[in-house]
Structures are given as structure tokens and as C-alpha cells.
Amino acid sequence: MGDTSNRLAGTASVTTNGVTIMVAGQFKYSPSTVKRETLTGMDRVHGYKEKPSAPYISCQVRDSGGTTVADFNGMTDVTVVAELANGKTIIGTGMWTVESQEVDSEDAVFDVRWESFSVVES
């Protein structure tokens, strides 16, 4: 096997409650818990406002024979673990899916986004 010490991107392996899912692409995550927006006036920058933001993990999933879209739609209180090409492990606990999942049957894919109170990277 070749030297992968400089590999930074390109692969993601994801499990939900210990079950491996097929990641087709578009893996994203955010451990951020706040969203800030700059407040400006007609005279200058006045400061910023800050609101809570839900950390998330999202990806495009392949609709394989062992996968049911309804199962993803029903997910609440799940643990999502991702192993990335750069060696990072992303863990979301107590996660739930948001939005409805719609399958694009041409490539057998659908988008899933889990949100929670906590997503950590190590």
C-alpha cells in the first residue's frame, strides 16, 4: 500500500448507529454552535448579532437495496460517525434528520442532513 500521509480529501466512510451507509458524495459537516451576522448602519459597522446554530453532518447517500429512505426519515437520537481521508473522525450524537429525503433514481441517490446539539472532530 502506498504512502497516504499527504492525503487530505476524497474519501468518507459513514455509519449511523453502527450501520455503514453508502456515501455517494457531498459529505459536509459543521461543529459550529453559533452563527454571527454583522450589523451595519448608514454610518459604520455597529457590531454583530449572534444566534444559536445546530451542528450538522450531511451527505449524499446511495439508495442501495439494503437501505430504505423511510428509515432515514425516521431517524432521531442516532450517532453518526465519519472517518475522513485526512484521518479525522467526525462524531455526532443524539442526531435527527431534517428535511425530507427525495431519491434521484437516475443515480439512485438522496441527500441526508442530520442535526444535533453536538458534532465533534478529532
Side-chain angles (χ1 to χ4, degrees), residues 78-90:
V78 297
T79 298
V80 179
V81 178
E83 302 283 338
L84 305 182
N86 60 9
K88 282 188 178 183
T89 300
I90 311 304

Side-chain angles (χ1 to χ4, degrees), residues 7-81:
R7 183 174 59 189
L8 298 176
T11 62
S13 173
V14 177
T15 62
T16 58
N17 281 350
V19 176
T20 301
I21 61 173
M22 296 176 87
V23 179
Q26 304 302 317
F27 179 85
K28 297 179 183 180
Y29 72 97
S30 174
S32 301
T33 57
V34 296
K35 179 180 179 181
R36 293 181 191 93
E37 185 178 326
T38 300
L39 299 174
T40 60
M42 294 177 69
D43 56 347
R44 61 186 165 84
V45 173
H46 292 169
Y48 66 91
K49 69 178 181 178
E50 181 176 284
K51 296 172 98 176
S53 178
Y56 73 88
I57 296 173
S58 68
C59 62
Q60 190 176 66
V61 176
R62 183 83 56 202
D63 186 19
S64 65
T67 304
T68 67
V69 178
D71 286 346
F72 281 89
N73 189 251
M75 287 183 175
T76 59
D77 196 25
V78 297
T79 298
V80 179
V81 178

